[in-house]
Amino acid sequence: MVDRNKDLKSQIENICKREGYETSIQKIILELATESLTRSTQIPDAELKSLLQRLGLKLRNTVE
Amino acid sequence: MSKQLVCRIRKVSWESIRQMEDIEVNPQDGRNFWQIRNGYGKTTTLLLLRHIFTGNQPNTEELRHFKYNQTFGGDAKHGKFCVDLEIQNPSHPEEWDSWTVSLHIDNSGHQPTCYFETISPELGGPKDGWHLPESFKSHFENKSDFIELFIFDGETAKELCTAQGTKRITRAIRDVSGLGKVFKLIESDKSLFENIFDEEVRNQPHINSAGSSEALQSLGPLKDHIASVEISKLALEDQLEDMDGQILSIVSDLKGIDAQTQSQGEIKNLETKIEHNKTNIKSKSQDLIQALANPSNLNGTLWDQVSALCNEMLRSRIPETVGQSFFNDLLRDDTCICGLSWNSEMKAHVESRVNDYLGDDILSAIRTMQNEVEQHTKPTLNYGDIVSEIKEIQKDTDEMKTQLTRIREDFDEDLASKREELLGFKFRFLKEKDEIKEKLQEIEETDEYEIQRNRWDKDAIGNSGPLVQVHRFTLCKNLKSLLTIKQYLNERASATDVLRDLRRGINTATEVIEEALDTIMEQMRQELKTYSNEILSKIPGAGGPLFIDFNQGGLEFYNQHGERQPGANIGANVSAAYSFIAALGRVGNMDVPMFVDSPTTGLDAFSIRGWSENIVPEFGQFIAFIHNVERMGIEQSSAGRKVLYDDNQTSLVTFHRSHEGVNGIPQSGKLVADTDVEFFKNYMPTDN
């Protein structure tokens, strides 16, 4: 039986590798997706926003 | 690895609910059969259980339906339906937590009202509202469609095997994935990520550049337009499914009529063959007459003897090649054939020999006979064979005439015109389906070349990028183009670094998570198909093995040659639905109660065996409402009897009025849940 959470993690890692995202970017995306599964309630918006902004900033720095 | 959700029903209780005064049942793990006659609360219980599992409150109409309506001591003003659950703690599988959910119904006012109450040590006691744990909520909360798969009746089974079942299947796969929260992050325009962005835009105090202001103004109408296109897309998909359902139904009807129409073809075929046989008999009869006139067809060795005699005569030059007239003509000439002039002696000699030769008439007849014999040295036709052939053809004709009469008696000519009519509908639906597909393609196409070739972006994306013009992009229905415009507007609207970073983060995270989820959903779909067929293969059915696939028509049947088998019977539908639901439990890694109304409807004795041995054990807790006729059907199969009565592993309950005997009368007194096995076995009310 496949653990869907693990599967999701592994899929995200594969896609990030394929797209050439650095580890820190991959970590944030994984946190966004898998953190929501381990908590009894949805991640608070403020926390999500902070993660998304960090992701955006890292992407900007990578591109620039 | 622990399961995502393991749950058992430990108690169900009814207080003044429709026909039930005050009653409770304690289901066990494994098999539970609740025998109940029609009208005692089966449907009511199923509906109530679905509300308890989803946390959705019943509407006013349903509440009125649940009101106590008997005269055996119940309270018509207040009702309560209560379910005790045990739910395994996913983090500590050895621990089981108790949860009790009650639905309280108040019928005392003008309008009935209700509320949920949850009791659990986890909550510290009773609490108003529906508060089941996260592992349960993530699977069932507000998922009316999904719970119908586990609190299940024949209608759901039927629907799963139609076009309407397609969406239910897709949603079910998503529901059992346990990834609902991740879907919420990114799905459609109401995703959590997009909400966060919108909120941040509202919080930015100084967005004052003309470009960003214009972009922000356009974003609202664009989002509304995208939402309306998505709604149109769903409507078109629904239409497409309906169309598929209609076409399937027509194909099924046509198949039924085809047997009749085949008769029409058979009639024509037989008529042609009979006509052909008549011509054949006529021709053979002529041959027979000719054969009868042919001397070579004389019986036995006689013709051989004639033939031998004739040959002997020819060899001996009998008769002579000349006849009497030859010599008479010669005598009348001046000279003999030797050239000498006739003298009296010569003439006397010839005249004395003339009679040794045959007369010309006889000679001619003999020559003709000799020729006949020469030409028919062996018989060319045996009239005996011809007679046999004629008799065979006649027999064949008679058989065909009998067959023709029988088919004509059964054949309904109205069906032939009905078939033509259905073919017309089918053609029309197929045409309409193509039109819908074209519309959907315009919305869904992601290939840039195709979009540009068909001008599906409606020129809302110029050479230098998208145009911020509402009147242009609202003409465009292509979602990819619209999302490109949205992304562009979002970037322009992101006048600050904070917004730009947020947008970049949202876009990237959405793309990655969306692709990951798509892959997982496809994997689950394949697993589900494999498991479903594995389970289905254990339920024997008539007509050879069938396989199921999930396509436009819900659970669809295919034979071993991969040919679609429309028009499956109710037994096949029920078997497929069971297989699908059992597989869903496996794929979803969950073990929850299966509650079924009339579990063996449509199953024959063979299928009941397959159901008993392979479907029931798939569920950790199987609870079935059956009536006594169905009980007798199950008892007829040895495997069914085993499921009901062997090894005391089955909990058997009969719901009946307290005064009722096994014959079902009188129907008075409070409703009771009787666990007496003999009563269960012998209960025979006559109204089912």
Side-chain angles (χ1 to χ4, degrees), chain A residues 4-10 13 18 24 26 28-29 41 43 45-46 56-59 61 64:
Chain A
R4 305 292 165 201
N5 298 4
K6 274 188 191 167
D7 200 17
L8 177 68
K9 199 175 162 218
S10 133
E13 283 170 353
R18 190 194 66 203
S24 59
Q26 180 183 305
I28 297 173
I29 297 175
T41 54
I43 308 176
D45 284 2
L57 181 65
K58 283 193 180 295
L59 285 163
N61 291 339
E64 285 168 3

Side-chain angles (χ1 to χ4, degrees), chain A residues 1 4 7-8 11 15 18 21 32-33 36-37 39-42 48-49 52-53 55-57 59-60, chain B residues 134 177-178 181-182 185 192 196 200 498 501 504-505 508 512 515-516 519-520 523-524 527 586-587:
Chain A
M1 186 62 65
R4 305 292 165 201
D7 200 17
L8 177 68
Q11 289 297 335
I15 297 165
R18 190 194 66 203
Y21 293 137
L32 279 165
S36 59
L37 293 170
R39 300 192 190 188
S40 60
T41 54
Q42 194 77 47
L48 277 179
K49 189 177 83 178
L52 289 165
Q53 273 175 337
L55 177 63
L57 181 65
L59 285 163
R60 174 151 58 103
Chain B
E134 191 53 35
S177 71
K181 281 184 185 170
V182 187
L185 295 174
L192 284 176
I196 285 166
E200 190 58 26
V498 172
D501 286 342
R504 195 177 284 119
T508 304
V512 172
E515 189 183 334
T519 310
I520 292 170
Q523 284 170 355
M524 288 183 71
E527 282 173 35
R586 283 197 206 175
V587 171

Side-chain angles (χ1 to χ4, degrees), chain B residues 444-663:
Chain B
E444 292 174 329
E445 185 59 66
T446 54
D447 186 316
E448 289 291 353
Y449 172 75
E450 281 298 312
I451 293 169
Q452 281 178 17
R453 191 174 69 85
N454 292 291
R455 294 189 61 218
W456 281 334
D457 63 355
K458 304 294 178 197
D459 297 329
I461 302 176
N463 290 333
S464 54
L467 306 173
V468 190
Q469 290 172 338
V470 177
H471 73 276
R472 276 190 189 274
F473 63 62
T474 46
L475 290 175
C476 170
K477 290 176 183 167
N478 179 256
L479 279 174
K480 187 176 184 216
S481 305
L482 290 171
L483 291 174
T484 305
I485 298 166
K486 190 177 144 199
Q487 194 172 348
Y488 173 74
L489 290 181
N490 272 325
E491 280 167 13
R492 284 194 67 181
S494 307
T496 65
D497 280 350
V498 172
L499 282 176
R500 273 192 288 274
D501 286 342
L502 193 54
R503 173 48 54 199
R504 195 177 284 119
I506 287 173
N507 288 350
T508 304
T510 303
E511 280 170 18
V512 172
I513 295 172
E514 196 169 36
E515 189 183 334
L517 286 175
D518 281 351
T519 310
I520 292 170
M521 289 301 105
E522 186 48 37
Q523 284 170 355
M524 288 183 71
R525 200 178 174 80
Q526 292 305 323
E527 282 173 35
L528 195 55
K529 205 190 309 180
T530 306
Y531 285 144
S532 298
N533 281 306
E534 193 182 298
I535 298 165
L536 184 70
S537 68
K538 293 173 184 167
I539 307 176
L546 289 177
F547 304 94
I548 45 177
D549 203 346
F550 321 134
N551 291 318
Q552 294 282 333
L555 299 179
E556 294 178 345
F557 291 91
Y558 292 83
N559 66 13
Q560 65 267 50
H561 307 299
E563 294 159 343
R564 174 92 199 282
Q565 304 292 296
N569 63 29
I570 186 169
N573 286 345
V574 169
S575 301
Y578 272 129
S579 307
F580 171 73
I581 295 166
L584 206 56
R586 283 197 206 175
V587 171
N589 195 22
M590 56 193 231
D591 177 0
V592 297
M594 178 75 178
F595 201 107
V596 197
D597 177 11
S598 307
T600 59
T601 303
L603 300 184
D604 58 20
F606 287 110
S607 304
I608 285 178
R609 182 180 167 188
W611 166 83
S612 310
E613 292 175 346
N614 300 291
I615 295 294
V616 178
E618 281 286 327
F619 300 93
Q621 188 177 41
F622 187 90
I623 307 172
F625 265 139
I626 58 171
H627 56 65
N628 66 301
V629 176
E630 188 172 12
R631 183 201 78 219
M632 291 187 286
I634 298 172
E635 284 169 347
Q636 280 173 10
S637 147
S638 59
R641 277 198 304 281
K642 196 174 173 187
V643 156
L644 287 176
Y645 305 124
D646 275 13
D647 57 31
N648 296 320
Q649 290 296 305
T650 309
S651 164
L652 302 172
V653 176
T654 308
F655 289 75
H656 63 86
R657 296 257 161 232
S658 56
H659 300 158
E660 249 183 282
V662 288
N663 58 357

Side-chain angles (χ1 to χ4, degrees), chain B residues 137-397:
Chain B
K137 279 165 84 173
S138 66
H139 282 89
F140 294 119
E141 187 179 18
N142 294 323
K143 291 176 181 167
S144 305
D145 271 4
F146 187 57
I147 196 59
E148 281 177 17
L149 297 174
F150 291 90
I151 300 176
F152 169 81
D153 57 16
E155 281 307 304
T156 310
K158 196 175 158 193
E159 198 211 275
L160 276 173
C161 298
T162 65
Q164 284 74 30
T166 311
K167 278 193 178 161
R168 192 191 279 268
I169 291 166
T170 306
R171 280 197 299 269
I173 296 172
R174 187 178 143 167
D175 288 340
V176 294
S177 71
L179 302 175
K181 281 184 185 170
V182 187
F183 276 102
K184 278 185 186 168
L185 295 174
I186 59 158
E187 68 186 347
S188 73
D189 228 32
K190 290 176 184 168
S191 75
L192 284 176
F193 286 173
E194 290 299 334
N195 286 345
I196 285 166
F197 183 80
D198 290 349
E199 186 61 29
E200 190 58 26
V201 167
R202 281 192 290 274
N203 290 339
Q204 291 289 314
H206 305 295
I207 299 179
N208 48 18
S209 85
S212 66
S213 172
E214 189 189 17
L216 272 174
Q217 281 175 7
S218 302
L219 261 173
L222 177 64
K223 285 182 180 178
D224 289 345
H225 180 59
I226 290 173
S228 78
V229 171
E230 281 175 339
I231 290 169
S232 320
K233 180 177 170 248
L234 290 175
L236 286 168
E237 283 170 349
D238 279 345
Q239 279 180 36
L240 199 61
E241 283 174 12
D242 282 349
M243 210 61 79
D244 277 329
Q246 301 261 29
I247 292 167
L248 272 178
S249 161
I250 289 173
V251 169
S252 172
D253 288 349
L254 282 172
K255 203 177 170 188
I257 289 173
D258 266 355
Q260 293 281 8
T261 311
Q262 204 176 338
S263 303
Q264 194 182 22
E266 280 175 30
I267 288 172
K268 278 184 188 165
N269 192 24
L270 284 170
E271 283 174 343
T272 310
K273 279 183 180 171
I274 290 169
E275 236 5 81
H276 174 76
N277 276 7
K278 278 183 186 171
T279 312
N280 209 3
I281 288 173
K282 200 173 173 182
S283 163
K284 296 276 177 196
S285 301
Q286 281 171 349
D287 289 347
L288 179 64
I289 292 167
Q290 282 180 358
L292 284 171
N294 186 340
S296 65
N297 283 318
L298 289 170
N299 282 337
T301 55
L302 187 57
W303 184 254
D304 292 337
Q305 290 172 12
V306 170
S307 188
L309 176 66
C310 182
N311 286 335
E312 187 56 37
M313 285 170 71
L314 283 171
R315 264 199 305 278
S316 308
R317 297 181 182 276
I318 297 171
E320 295 288 355
T321 51
V322 294
Q324 291 173 351
S325 59
F326 171 80
F327 294 103
N328 289 332
D329 290 344
L330 196 63
L331 287 171
R332 280 194 284 275
D333 285 346
D334 294 333
T335 56
C336 177
I337 52 170
C338 61
L340 295 175
S341 298
W342 288 106
N343 58 34
S344 55
E345 191 181 351
M346 285 164 69
K347 278 190 174 181
H349 178 75
V350 171
E351 282 166 354
S352 67
R353 299 289 303 273
V354 163
N355 290 333
D356 291 343
Y357 294 85
L358 295 173
D360 279 4
D361 50 347
I362 296 170
L363 188 62
S364 171
I366 289 172
R367 285 285 178 222
T368 305
M369 283 169 64
Q370 283 180 325
N371 284 339
E372 277 295 316
V373 175
E374 264 188 314
Q375 284 169 17
H376 298 96
T377 49
K378 283 184 181 174
T380 53
L381 278 171
N382 186 322
Y383 63 80
D385 290 345
I386 299 176
V387 170
S388 298
E389 282 175 29
I390 289 172
K391 279 183 180 172
E392 274 302 310
I393 296 168
Q394 190 56 52
K395 192 180 160 195
D396 186 39
T397 308

Side-chain angles (χ1 to χ4, degrees), chain B residues 9 11-12 14 34 42-55 66 81-83 85 136 147 151 595 623 625:
Chain B
I9 297 174
K11 187 170 84 178
V12 182
W14 300 255
W34 296 355
K42 236 181 350 179
T43 309
T44 302
T45 304
L46 242 65
L47 291 172
L48 283 163
L49 277 168
R50 286 173 184 161
H51 288 296
I52 292 286
F53 269 69
T54 58
F66 299 147
F81 181 72
C82 187
V83 178
L85 296 168
F136 191 95
I147 196 59
I151 300 176
F595 201 107
I623 307 172
F625 265 139

